[in-house]
Amino acid sequence: MSEQPRDEARAEPSSGSTAPGPRPEPIRFFGTSWVDHTDRYGLRRAGVAVGALAAAVAGCLVLRFAYQGLEIADVGAFVNLLVVIMFAICSAIAFRRTWEGFTKRHDPQSVASMRSLMMIGFVGSLLAYFFRALKEAPGEKLHREEYETARQEYEKRTSRRTKNPSKRKRGK
């Protein structure tokens, strides 16, 4: 899941019903309904929250079966403890990293380097999605800030060009 920054300030040409200016970036499961909370936005948020929690519970069950497999294999208490600690630490790091990703973009290189850790700590990422969906669409705050900044920059650029430059008074 690679998140690449987009040039939000780029003006889109007017074609039919689309207005000129920057367009909002779609969010997974929400599209662009996060802008004005339309198209069953609340229902989508509830669905994301329930889905993330259900996936986290299912993931915990799978991890429990894996732990039982280690107990059956009789690998020893030390290895069992290491596995539990590893999943707990990776889940905590994945939770924090996912939570931070809702408010700021991570550079693509760090995303690539943390991919395996995030896969191991998938329960933490799912819980971050669950808790964020209770407040807003995951990533909505970041996307809204970027979109508002892009709109302001676009308005500032277009307002400068409203007058005809050939009629401007020249200094002596």
Side-chain angles (χ1 to χ4, degrees), residues 20 22 150-160:
R151 291 292 303 170
Q152 289 172 357
E153 289 174 2
Y154 176 76
E155 293 297 326
K156 190 166 42 169
R157 276 196 325 267
T158 56
S159 67
R160 282 189 223 143

Side-chain angles (χ1 to χ4, degrees), residues 2 4 13 27 41-42 45-46 49 79 88 102 106 111 133 152 154 157 171:
S2 164
Q4 298 175 349
I27 297 177
Y41 171 81
R45 267 188 40 212
V79 173
F102 295 142
H106 297 293
V111 170
Q152 289 172 357
Y154 176 76
R157 276 196 325 267

Side-chain angles (χ1 to χ4, degrees), residues 6-65:
R6 298 188 183 182
D7 185 14
E8 295 284 337
R10 181 185 51 178
E12 296 293 330
S14 179
S15 60
S17 64
T18 59
R23 293 186 183 176
E25 186 177 348
I27 297 177
R28 182 178 294 153
F29 305 120
F30 295 91
T32 57
S33 67
W34 61 268
V35 176
D36 51 4
H37 296 184
T38 58
D39 198 23
R40 297 184 180 148
Y41 171 81
L43 189 60
R44 288 177 187 224
R45 267 188 40 212
V48 166
V50 168
L53 186 60
V57 168
C60 287
L61 288 175
V62 169
L63 291 176
R64 174 67 181 151
F65 291 141

Side-chain angles (χ1 to χ4, degrees), residues 94-113:
F95 180 92
R96 181 186 56 84
R97 185 127 172 110
T98 303
W99 192 263
E100 286 175 353
F102 295 142
T103 57
K104 70 176 185 174
R105 289 199 188 267
H106 297 293
D107 61 339
Q109 188 176 12
S110 72
V111 170
S113 68

